[in-house]
Amino acid sequence: MISTEVTGGPVGVKTKLVPRRRRRNRTTYVIKSILLWTFSLLFLLPFAWMVSSSLKRNIDVFSIPPKWIPNPIEWANYVEVWLHGDPSMAIFFSNSITVSLIGVLGDLTTASMAGYAFARLSFAGRDKIFLLYLATAIVPSQLLLIPRFMFFQQLGLYKTLWALILPGIFTVFGTFLCRQAFLSLPGEFGEAARIDGAGEWRVFFNVYLPQIRPTLAALGIISFVGSWNDYEGPLIMLSDKELFTVPLGLTRFVDADGGLSAGFAMAGSVSSVIPIMIIFLLFQRQFIAALASSGLK
Amino acid sequence: MSVLSGRAPASPPGTALTGPITPALRPRRRSRGTGGMSTRVGWLFILPNLIGFLIFTLVPLIGGVGISFTDWNVISGLSGIKWVGLQNFAELITDGTFWAAVGRTVIYAGVGVPLTMAGGLVLALCLNGPVFGRAVLRVIFFIPHIVSSIALGFVWLILLHPTAGLVNLALESLGINDPPGWLVSQQWSLLSLVFITSWAGMGFHAVIFLSAMQALPTELYEAAELDGAGAWTRFTTITWRALMPTTTFLFIMSLIGHSQGFGLIAFLTQGGPGDSSTTLSYLMYQTGFQNYRFGDAAAMGMLSFVGVLLLTVFFWRFQRGRGLYT
């Protein structure tokens, strides 16, 4: 519990301080706002430059002096990136969507069930198994990738999208997040439903699952973003260009000797960011709340 | 607060209690509402996830540990595995390339982790109070966290271009002649990567810190203020100590992120120029997936894991007893 003693002082004491404090607060408000918005330029300008460069011809991206407003505006970059090239961005997108969507749906299913069991059901060795889950969270990914690579090679799944999809369906993080959410619900719901004769699956599916909708939405996004942006997995598991996901596909705008089609690269980058950005802006509240709850152990 | 205690809160008033006794009086096990559950059902619920966990995480992990004691060139297939015991580790410990990569990882994480965390904390402190457009700012700082490292890499690739990048053109206009080549310079490549990584992670740290700050009871601050504590004292005695669990969590996350940092390095510098940005994680990738020396790569992975584990335990012990809630 909190060790500091809290004494509620009489309210009258504070009223005297108000005028001076309010003046000081106005000044800090203005200074803080100016500083933070200035600092935010460090985050806004790179993305603004990305959008601006995506509308320039490849040769104009590195023009000196630099131009913020492209002239001429080159929409053709997007057409080029999306429709041409071998394969085009459209192919990379459909691969990424396949991997991410199947992964998210699977992750939500297995993580919510396991999280529910860890939080609400008792079985032999439950807490030991959960500790084992947590212990694997700090293992370097490269150490797992080597045996996984071998494993998929033996199964004949190496160089297929399954090598990316399957590991994404079973996540320790998702299980942890769902367990947190289920723990915060009272146990009485389930007991009431059981007394009314509901089976275990119905208690889970109709009583508890709807209660953690915000967490499921957040986990869905976190899981989607993670798999959409994964680079190391596809780099190791895929070799056929037709199967490349978006991040791996983007690297084709740098050719073997380091030459860069900058306009195309930026058009591709903007395209890759837009879907993630839309999802994030729609659900940012749940997303951030869920991330924050995972940090409160 | 139930998240902190890991226990279900007592039922809100108005909920009909079906049990014979109120939750508060029950032993802890039962208060999780297990209500006479059979073991079998629990196992059935956990099974799909557990099978996947075993196949894709635990077995590979054990396999990875096993491989680190073997000499194995993948080209020769499964028959080419030779048990060599601790030989890989012995070779690594006398290997200059390995230690150089360890040194670079120490710089990468040693500069990057404090930079990211301090930046995130300062941002969170500024955002934890009235500021113009606070919700928008929070989103702006967070954006790099959701963008793929390749897209981020591309932006910084053109911004940091040695002769025509925006950064160096700005520096030259400020009168700095001959600015560094950043990603293509031996001296600056690693530090450029540290900067980009911290830039990308800062907003995430700020958001997590901020959520933790907003969960703190305001009574504490009011009481401290009445006792005449200034802003700095309030920060050190209340905020900093109350944030300890969050700081620990972020420290571990950040340490893992830096020690495994791969995407940006692989894409932007391929560990170069020369080997000036070859950190341990990149060396592992090169050893395993470019030179096909799986045994050596797995041994590096083991040592890296042990390093992160030791630092985590150390930090854990350091913060224990310094928090507000103990």
Side-chain angles (χ1 to χ4, degrees), chain A residues 157-196:
Chain A
L157 295 174
Y158 170 59
K159 296 184 184 179
T160 71
L161 289 181
W162 288 108
L164 305 179
I165 294 169
L166 288 172
I169 294 177
F170 314 95
T171 65
V172 170
F173 176 75
T175 309
F176 171 76
L177 208 61
C178 289
R179 176 178 174 267
Q180 293 278 73
F182 283 123
L183 275 180
S184 67
L185 301 173
E188 283 70 37
F189 297 148
E191 282 160 33
R194 281 187 196 108
I195 284 173
D196 292 343

Side-chain angles (χ1 to χ4, degrees), chain A:
Chain A
M1 271 323 287
I2 300 162
S3 54
T4 321
E5 204 162 317
V6 180
T7 46
V11 188
V13 178
K14 277 181 19 188
T15 50
K16 270 190 213 156
L17 297 170
V18 167
R20 186 161 11 127
R21 270 199 24 209
R22 187 168 297 165
R23 218 180 16 249
R24 211 178 55 209
N25 282 351
R26 274 297 291 275
T27 324
T28 41
Y29 176 85
V30 172
I31 291 175
K32 249 176 31 171
S33 301
I34 291 173
L35 283 178
L36 277 174
W37 278 99
T38 310
F39 189 67
S40 77
L41 290 178
L42 188 62
F43 292 76
L44 287 171
L45 291 182
F47 290 106
W49 190 244
M50 179 161 135
V51 174
S52 158
S53 303
S54 74
L55 298 169
K56 291 175 186 169
R57 289 176 306 180
N58 283 328
I59 47 167
D60 290 340
V61 173
F62 292 116
S63 67
I64 300 177
K67 287 196 201 68
W68 279 95
I69 308 293
N71 182 17
I73 289 192
E74 189 72 19
W75 292 102
N77 285 348
Y78 284 88
V79 178
E80 173 66 31
V81 165
W82 274 90
L83 302 182
H84 305 287
D86 175 39
S88 69
M89 204 69 187
I91 303 279
F92 301 145
F93 254 72
S94 76
N95 291 334
S96 269
I97 287 171
T98 307
V99 172
S100 299
L101 273 187
I102 301 178
V104 165
L105 292 175
D107 190 19
L108 286 175
T109 310
T110 68
S112 61
M113 284 170 67
Y116 175 72
F118 279 129
R120 290 260 153 254
L121 304 173
S122 57
F123 51 93
R126 180 187 71 178
D127 296 345
K128 287 196 182 67
I129 295 174
F130 188 69
L131 268 180
L132 191 64
Y133 265 61
L134 288 185
T136 60
I138 58 168
V139 175
S141 54
Q142 285 92 1
L143 193 58
L144 293 177
L145 278 170
I146 294 171
R148 258 186 212 170
F149 170 86
M150 289 312 304
F151 180 67
F152 285 125
Q153 221 173 15
Q154 294 298 317
L155 284 181
L157 295 174
Y158 170 59
K159 296 184 184 179
T160 71
L161 289 181
W162 288 108
L164 305 179
I165 294 169
L166 288 172
I169 294 177
F170 314 95
T171 65
V172 170
F173 176 75
T175 309
F176 171 76
L177 208 61
C178 289
R179 176 178 174 267
Q180 293 278 73
F182 283 123
L183 275 180
S184 67
L185 301 173
E188 283 70 37
F189 297 148
E191 282 160 33
R194 281 187 196 108
I195 284 173
D196 292 343
E200 284 312 317
W201 176 257
R202 278 199 55 193
V203 171
F204 162 72
F205 198 81
N206 294 353
V207 180
Y208 279 106
L209 205 57
Q211 305 267 357
I212 66 157
R213 247 187 234 134
T215 304
L216 292 178
L219 174 58
I221 303 163
I222 294 169
S223 177
F224 189 91
V225 170
S227 105
W228 185 268
N229 291 339
D230 182 26
Y231 175 63
E232 198 174 8
L235 183 70
I236 286 165
M237 299 293 180
L238 303 177
S239 65
D240 178 9
K241 279 195 185 128
E242 290 294 323
L243 291 177
F244 278 8
T245 54
V246 174
L248 207 52
L250 282 176
T251 58
R252 82 183 167 94
F253 299 114
V254 184
D255 53 37
D257 48 20
L260 172 70
S261 317
F264 296 163
M266 290 298 122
S269 298
V270 172
S271 306
S272 79
V273 172
I274 284 174
I276 290 279
M277 196 72 99
I278 291 171
I279 296 173
F280 174 67
L281 290 177
L282 286 176
F283 295 101
Q284 50 119 351
R285 281 192 187 285
Q286 289 96 318
F287 182 91
I288 287 172
L291 276 183
S293 82
S294 69
L296 296 171
K297 287 210 183 89

